[in-house]
């Protein structure tokens, strides 16, 4: 009986390790590639013969990835607090107040979530150009500072608050803004963290909009810098591309390790259940 | 629902005017909360969406900023364009490849990481790593793995599937499949979590009584786990379809839609038209994409509500 159980576990672990190789393997191969020295063959072996950080230095020094990193960081740091603020503000009356036009506003906001970005990228591109937002940080971040998805997510959270809590605050003489800030917001903290994570992921790795809006390389984000670098995708460049890829991924990995449990709950929150 | 300031019924007569001003405040206050978002969404989302609809009916020149009304001729043009139909077909094939894999593989992963054994939470994290990888990075990593001297080609030769090292991304017959594997890989952990949530809502005693009755692990999986996960299967399917219709980075950064259009999906078709400055054609194709996406969303709503009815019954 016991050995049967042991056998079952062996199989389980073997299978799980095999899947780990599939999910983590590409990272390791990329990491090893990024550590290879200049004179080493790119595909001669998977492990680097004499690991070196020179590709990372080149990425920062010559390929301008320090600048791209900074741009990405600026955009992300602007996007997260603004998106949390504006979405939680907008979601609050949509969840907790009764006013004329509420259902129309809500329906419009939710229906925009179905619209693929590729439909309106051209008008947006022209608009950003005419507003002077091309090649600016504001232009990069403008799509992320208030999102329909964020409003939807925050509204779902506000809907779950028991109304007695707000009512007692109103009886104490608090106004709507105070009730939002002092009563409602603290109760939806986990959702705020979830939205922060979604905003971080969406902004950090965003590709198409930064690609359209940035024509000057000084305004590239990491994704765009990486994509431009990869236009020369051959032996001379693969180690550098790998180093830049690792560089781009490290912040997301650190955030993930730090906020793991919120990532997990966020995945199910984000799965919009009809 | 909050009702705002409490007005007692018998106060109605005494403070009639005051009540009126409070009522108007009640209707104005929500808009103060909504203004920042409405301004941003209105300017950068809703106006561009409406413009896209307008442009689809014009022969819009983005540089001149004008265009004449041409009715439905942009739609006529895409519907008579063989490339458009090929893009539609490629999108469909892509979904056919990705859908079963996205539905089934993450389910197995979820069952594995739902076991009560040591180290299981570490595996959960390791399986989730691709989800937190920026898409551009994922695409480039896989482009490297797929290259002719890369590891995948090596494995395929060792398995005897190919005589000589081959890059799957540059063959018309395999490129779409190769690209779709990147999408599957990236989604594994995400859908695993959705299944995990579904698994954890299955009552434990169902399994207990089944194993007392002598059901094997496999029988339990087939007769309990899969049926009980039906709502999650629906959810994952629809999410896959909606996300799959919008697939972009994986393709743009690995094949660019090639070889000879083999990986040009509807989104890539729109993107190519946009890069050609055929923005009216791009808008018309975008509307087709929108209609398909709305169709999938309605399907989702219908399926999830009927599933819920099933569960209630």
């Amino acid at each position: 009986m016991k050995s049967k159980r042991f056998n079952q576990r062996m199989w389980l672990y073997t299978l799980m390790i095999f899947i780990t190789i599939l999910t983590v393997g590409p990272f390791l191969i990329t990491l090893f590639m990024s550590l290879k020295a200049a004179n080493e063959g790119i595909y001669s072996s998977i492990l680097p013969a004499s690991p070196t950080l020179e590709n990372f230095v080149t990425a920062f020094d010559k390929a301008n990835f320090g600048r791209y990193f900074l741009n990405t960081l600026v955009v992300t740091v602007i996007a997260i607090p603004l998106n949390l603020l504006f979405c939680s503000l907008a979601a609050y009356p949509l969840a907790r107040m009764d006013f004329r036009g509420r259902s129309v506003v809500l329906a419009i906001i939710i229906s925009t979530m179905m619209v693929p970005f590729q439909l309106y990228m051209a008008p947006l591109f022209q608009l950003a150009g005419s507003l002077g937002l091309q090649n600016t940080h504001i232009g990069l971040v403008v799509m992320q500072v208030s999102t329909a998805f964020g409003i939807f997510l925050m509204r779902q959270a506000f809907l779950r608050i028991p109304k007695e809590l707000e009512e007692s605050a109103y009886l104490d003489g608090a106004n709507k803004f105070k009730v939002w800030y002092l009563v409602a917001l603290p109760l939806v903290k986990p959702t705020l963290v979830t939205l922060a994570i979604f905003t971080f992921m969406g902004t950090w790795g965003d590709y198409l909009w930064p690609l359209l809006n940035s024509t000057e390389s000084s305004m590239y984000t990491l994704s765009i810098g990486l994509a431009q670098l990869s236009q020369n995708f051959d032996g001379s460049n693969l180690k550098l591309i790998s180093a830049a890829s690792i560089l781009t991924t490290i912040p997301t990995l650190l955030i993930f390790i730090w906020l793991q449990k919120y990532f997990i709950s966020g995945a199910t929150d984000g799965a919009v259940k009809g | 629902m909050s009702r705002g300031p409490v007005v007692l019924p018998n106060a109605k007569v005494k403070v009639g005017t005051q009540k009126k001003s409070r009522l108007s405040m009640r209707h104005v206050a929500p808009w103060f909360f909504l203004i920042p978002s409405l301004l941003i969404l209105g300017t950068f989302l809703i106006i561009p969406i409406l413009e896209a609809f307008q442009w689809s009916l014009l022969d819009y020149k983005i540089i001149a900023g004008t265009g004449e009304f041409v009715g439905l001729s942009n739609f006529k043009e895409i519907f008579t364009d063989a490339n458009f139909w090929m893009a539609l077909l490629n999108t469909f094939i892509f979904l056919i490849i990705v859908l079963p894999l996205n539905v089934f593989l993450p389910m197995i992963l979820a069952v594995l990481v739902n076991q009560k054994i040591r180290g299981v939470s570490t595996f959960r994290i390791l399986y989730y790593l691709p989800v937190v990888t920026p898409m551009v990075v994922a695409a480039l990593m896989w482009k490297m793995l797929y290259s002719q001297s890369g590891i995948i080609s090596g494995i395929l030769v060792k398995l005897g599937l190919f005589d000589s090292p081959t890059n799957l991304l540059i063959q018309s017959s395999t490129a779409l499949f190769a690209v779709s594997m990147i999408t599957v890989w990236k989604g594994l952990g995400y859908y695993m979590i959705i299944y995990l949530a579904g698994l954890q809502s299955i009552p434990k005693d169902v399994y207990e009584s089944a194993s007392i009755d002598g059901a094997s692990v496999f029988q339990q999986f087939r007769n309990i786990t899969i049926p009980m996960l039906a709502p999650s299967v629906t959810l994952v399917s629809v999410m896959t379809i909606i996300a799959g219709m919008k697939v972009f980075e994986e393709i743009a950064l690995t094949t660019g839609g090639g070889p000879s259009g083999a990986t040009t999906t509807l989104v890539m078709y729109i993107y190519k038209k946009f890069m050609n400055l055929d923005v009216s054609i791009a808008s018309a194709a975008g509307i087709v994409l929108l209609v398909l996406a709305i169709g999938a969303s309605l399907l989702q709503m219908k399926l999830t509500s009927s599933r819920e009815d099933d569960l209630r019954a």
Side-chain angles (χ1 to χ4, degrees), chain A residues 13 16 27 43 96 126 146, chain B residues 2 37 60 118 127 133 147:
Chain A
Y13 278 116
M16 295 212 292
F27 291 97
Y43 290 117
R96 316 292 305 187
Q126 196 195 39
S146 177
Chain B
S2 110
S37 283
Y60 197 80
R118 193 172 299 174
Y127 296 173
T133 315
S147 64

Side-chain angles (χ1 to χ4, degrees), chain A residues 13 16 20 22-23 27 30 43 86 89 95-96 102 118 120 126-127 142 146 211 242 252 260 267 272, chain B residues 1-2 33 37 41 43-45 55 60 118 123 125-127 132-133 141 144 147 149 185 190 271 300:
Chain A
Y13 278 116
M16 295 212 292
T20 306
L22 293 180
T23 57
F27 291 97
T30 309
Y43 290 117
F86 293 155
L89 267 177
R96 316 292 305 187
R102 186 182 70 166
Q118 286 81 7
Y120 59 93
Q126 196 195 39
L127 177 73
V142 88
S146 177
L211 178 72
S242 300
T252 65
Q260 263 178 55
V272 179
Chain B
M1 283 311 121
S2 110
F33 286 80
S37 283
L41 293 178
T43 312
F44 297 104
L45 184 70
W55 290 12
Y60 197 80
R118 193 172 299 174
F123 285 107
I125 292 168
L126 294 174
Y127 296 173
V132 297
T133 315
M141 289 198 311
M144 202 150 62
S147 64
S149 340
W185 178 79
Y190 189 79
Y271 179 70
Q300 169 187 25

Side-chain angles (χ1 to χ4, degrees), chain A residues 63-125:
Chain A
N64 215 9
F65 268 80
R67 171 79 199 191
Y68 305 157
F69 198 95
L70 196 69
N71 285 338
T72 314
L73 196 66
V74 167
V75 167
T76 312
V77 166
I78 295 174
I80 294 174
L82 286 183
N83 196 26
L84 295 193
L85 174 69
F86 293 155
C87 289
S88 57
L89 267 177
Y92 186 64
L94 293 175
R96 316 292 305 187
M97 296 180 199
D98 207 2
F99 62 97
R100 208 172 297 145
R102 186 182 70 166
S103 53
V104 177
V105 172
L106 187 64
I108 292 175
I109 289 174
I110 289 179
S111 58
T112 60
M113 283 166 63
M114 287 186 214
V115 183
F117 178 73
Q118 286 81 7
L119 171 66
Y120 59 93
M121 64 182 175
L124 183 67
F125 172 77

Side-chain angles (χ1 to χ4, degrees), chain B residues 138-189:
Chain B
L140 293 178
M141 289 198 311
W142 279 87
K143 193 173 178 184
M144 202 150 62
L145 296 176
Y146 274 125
S147 64
Q148 196 171 2
S149 340
I151 194 161
I152 291 174
S153 146
I155 292 170
L156 292 174
V157 171
K158 276 213 179 96
L159 289 174
L161 291 169
F162 284 97
D163 298 331
S164 56
T166 314
N167 183 344
L168 298 183
L169 290 168
I170 57 170
Q171 311 250 358
S172 323
S173 55
T174 55
L176 195 55
F177 180 79
V179 165
S180 67
M181 287 307 111
I182 306 176
T183 310
V184 171
W185 178 79
K186 186 99 173 35
L188 281 177

Side-chain angles (χ1 to χ4, degrees), chain A residues 111-190:
Chain A
S111 58
T112 60
M113 283 166 63
M114 287 186 214
V115 183
F117 178 73
Q118 286 81 7
L119 171 66
Y120 59 93
M121 64 182 175
L124 183 67
F125 172 77
Q126 196 195 39
L127 177 73
S130 62
L131 293 177
L133 296 177
Q134 203 178 33
N135 291 310
T136 65
H137 286 110
I138 296 175
L140 283 175
V141 82
V142 88
M143 298 303 298
Q144 315 279 358
V145 294
S146 177
T147 54
F149 173 74
I151 295 173
F152 177 76
L153 199 67
M154 292 314 303
R155 178 176 172 267
Q156 298 294 96
F158 284 132
L159 283 175
R160 290 192 289 263
I161 299 176
K163 66 178 173 190
E164 290 76 13
L165 289 175
E166 286 173 317
E167 272 170 4
S168 66
Y170 283 125
L171 284 175
D172 289 344
N175 62 30
K176 288 187 162 67
F177 185 79
K178 270 193 177 153
V179 174
W180 167 76
Y181 185 71
L182 296 173
V183 180
L185 268 193
L187 291 170
V188 296
K189 256 185 200 154

